[in-house]
Amino acid sequence: MGKLSLYTNKNLNVLRLSGDRLADQAVGFLVNQPDWCEKINYWKVLPTVEESVDFPKELKSFIQFFHTQPYFISPEKIKTSQDFFDKEGNLYLSLLGFYSLPYCYAFADGAQVLVRSKRITDEVGMRLSETALFLLDCFVPGTFIEENKSLLTIAKVRLIHAFSRYFVSKYAKDWNPDWGLPINQEDMIGTNLAFSLLVMRGMEKLNRFPGLETHEAVLHYWKIIGHYLGIDIAYWPETAKESFELEKLIRKRHVRPSEAGNTLIRSLLGFYEKSIPDSALSSLSETLVAYFVGKEVAGVLGIKEKAKLPKSVYALVLDFNFLKQSGGNPSYLKTRTQFLEQSKNQFGKELRLNIPVSKRP
């Protein structure tokens, strides 16, 4: 049976009310400590266990968590995933923007948190680029085996999630408890599925599916990322079948129209129409998103395929994706270098992931 017996409404209802105790405790301390927040944003790598000995206890526990390697790591699956990203990183990032993220917007309750972060609607390009940077940092070759640069990025994203939970719970007067805890375990699992399972589905829709072995290696890779992000990986799928069933259940529970989802998708499509350099291609962005997310989700988001195109055309549009990178024997290094250069040109500064810094009293 594997994990299939865990995928019940009862269990997911519990996950919907669960957060991340370790990160929430750290943020309970950091929210009134702007100096510490600035220090964390300045770090180039995660402090060692020895360096964190004199940290405040909430931060020390959080940092030390990252220095214990999870017991379940498979070096073979890690290598398979990193080799896959090395070859297909550009397409992976494109599918993130045209499939994974729009798909998340159809989940009505989860979309409520996203729409309350004004940066997602007001600074779409920056937020997309930060998500791409998170992915690129997670897939640094050698990560989770001999290289640990990724851990600082994952730690920051985990703290950003906890800050969002804190601010929404404390200040969003219109928050409806029926939506669950902001950035809860179910939503985090759903998002990680969107960043793994859905990318595989997107590859399949382009006739580029890398095969079952790579699919399950990528699921394993996101199990490791999920562990470090504070997700309860007892529920994370090990097999393609389990990922299929879990995604289907979460979709059944949450995909429905919402004003929040509508705001998010319109903001995203507006950004694509402005930022893709070729107007003939940019006008296809709604069609492209609708093609990937499928009829049910497209209907919920109020979008549609305005034209039926051959798969080769969809692949071409993705080559001129929102990162404006082009193919030609891609590699991890080339994808990362092009992305960082383009981000610097677009935003006039080096792209960095930063946790919020509270105003000084």
Side-chain angles (χ1 to χ4, degrees):
M1 272 300 281
K3 295 190 175 181
L4 293 176
S5 60
L6 294 175
Y7 301 153
T8 64
N9 282 312
K10 185 180 175 187
N11 282 346
L12 294 193
N13 287 340
V14 172
L15 291 178
R16 188 127 212 100
L17 299 174
S18 307
D20 172 2
R21 187 182 55 81
L22 204 56
D24 291 336
Q25 283 175 348
V27 164
F29 165 75
L30 288 170
V31 78
N32 296 314
Q33 299 288 334
D35 290 346
W36 266 106
C37 294
E38 284 172 357
K39 193 182 288 189
I40 290 169
N41 287 336
Y42 189 71
W43 287 343
K44 295 282 189 285
V45 292
L46 205 64
T48 62
V49 171
E50 293 73 25
E51 287 166 340
S52 65
V53 165
D54 295 326
F55 285 10
K57 65 179 187 302
E58 301 89 343
L59 259 191
K60 182 164 72 172
S61 304
F62 181 76
I63 296 298
Q64 292 187 353
F65 170 87
F66 288 86
H67 289 291
T68 305
Q69 195 179 59
Y71 67 89
F72 55 78
I73 275 182
S74 159
E76 296 79 16
K77 289 181 179 177
I78 289 173
K79 184 163 185 342
T80 300
S81 299
Q82 290 174 357
D83 288 350
F84 167 66
F85 194 89
D86 189 53
K87 290 189 208 76
E88 300 285 12
N90 195 48
L91 185 56
Y92 200 121
L93 296 177
S94 300
L95 287 167
L96 198 74
F98 283 100
Y99 189 1
S100 306
L101 291 174
Y103 200 80
C104 291
Y105 299 163
F107 290 71
D109 294 345
Q112 299 297 338
V113 178
L114 297 174
V115 83
R116 279 163 177 75
S117 166
K118 293 292 181 215
R119 291 192 60 219
I120 289 180
T121 49
D122 299 349
E123 299 177 19
V124 189
M126 178 67 88
R127 287 294 293 114
L128 265 178
S129 293
E130 286 171 352
T131 304
L133 180 62
F134 165 65
L135 259 285
L136 283 164
D137 281 0
C138 284
F139 278 93
V140 170
T143 285
F144 305 135
I145 300 175
E146 73 268 357
E147 175 62 72
N148 282 321
K149 281 181 190 161
S150 305
L151 295 182
L152 176 61
T153 294
I154 298 173
K156 282 185 180 177
V157 168
R158 188 170 174 182
L159 289 174
I160 289 166
H161 287 165
F163 269 105
S164 293
R165 265 191 302 276
Y166 177 89
F167 288 128
V168 170
S169 301
K170 195 166 174 68
Y171 298 111
K173 305 292 183 212
D174 59 346
W175 186 261
N176 183 341
D178 292 345
W179 296 333
L181 187 73
I183 312 191
N184 57 69
Q185 286 286 330
E186 184 185 21
D187 284 346
M188 289 194 288
I189 289 169
T191 302
N192 274 20
L193 283 171
F195 285 16
S196 53
L197 167 66
L198 290 197
V199 170
M200 294 296 119
R201 281 190 190 162
M203 302 284 288
E204 205 164 2
K205 284 171 185 262
L206 295 170
N207 288 336
R208 304 258 296 263
F209 182 62
L212 183 64
E213 186 186 335
T214 299
H215 178 14
E216 294 190 341
V218 168
L219 285 175
H220 178 79
Y221 205 81
W222 280 92
K223 180 182 181 181
I224 301 167
I225 295 170
H227 164 80
Y228 284 122
L229 279 175
I231 290 173
D232 183 349
I233 46 100
Y235 290 87
W236 184 254
E238 307 288 338
T239 65
K241 167 75 172 158
E242 288 172 357
S243 68
F244 175 87
E245 293 298 338
L246 179 56
E247 187 277 331
K248 187 169 77 170
L249 177 59
I250 295 175
R251 176 162 29 102
K252 191 174 165 190
R253 285 165 58 82
H254 295 292
V255 167
R256 60 181 182 279
S258 70
E259 198 179 320
N262 194 266
T263 300
L264 291 162
I265 193 64
R266 289 293 149 205
S267 176
L268 184 70
L269 291 175
F271 170 73
Y272 288 156
E273 277 152 26
K274 285 200 297 278
S275 68
I276 295 173
D278 184 324
S279 59
L281 296 178
S282 66
S283 63
L284 289 172
S285 48
E286 180 175 331
T287 294
L288 197 66
V289 170
Y291 169 71
F292 282 118
V293 299
K295 278 197 177 130
E296 178 196 6
V297 170
V300 160
L301 291 171
I303 60 174
K304 61 184 178 197
E305 283 186 72
K306 294 176 177 174
K308 286 283 180 195
L309 301 169
K311 291 184 180 185
S312 58
V313 174
Y314 291 117
L316 175 69
V317 179
L318 287 189
D319 233 9
F320 290 89
N321 62 34
F322 66 97
L323 299 173
K324 304 192 200 77
Q325 296 177 47
S326 55
N329 299 324
S331 67
Y332 176 87
L333 188 60
K334 192 186 284 185
T335 301
R336 187 182 184 96
T337 305
Q338 286 181 342
F339 166 73
L340 291 175
E341 277 172 12
Q342 151 143 9
S343 300
K344 198 165 186 178
N345 291 339
Q346 190 176 352
F347 306 117
K349 60 181 180 184
E350 203 172 305
L351 192 64
R352 287 176 64 86
L353 278 172
N354 287 325
I355 65 170
V357 180
S358 53
K359 291 187 175 67
R360 293 173 189 283

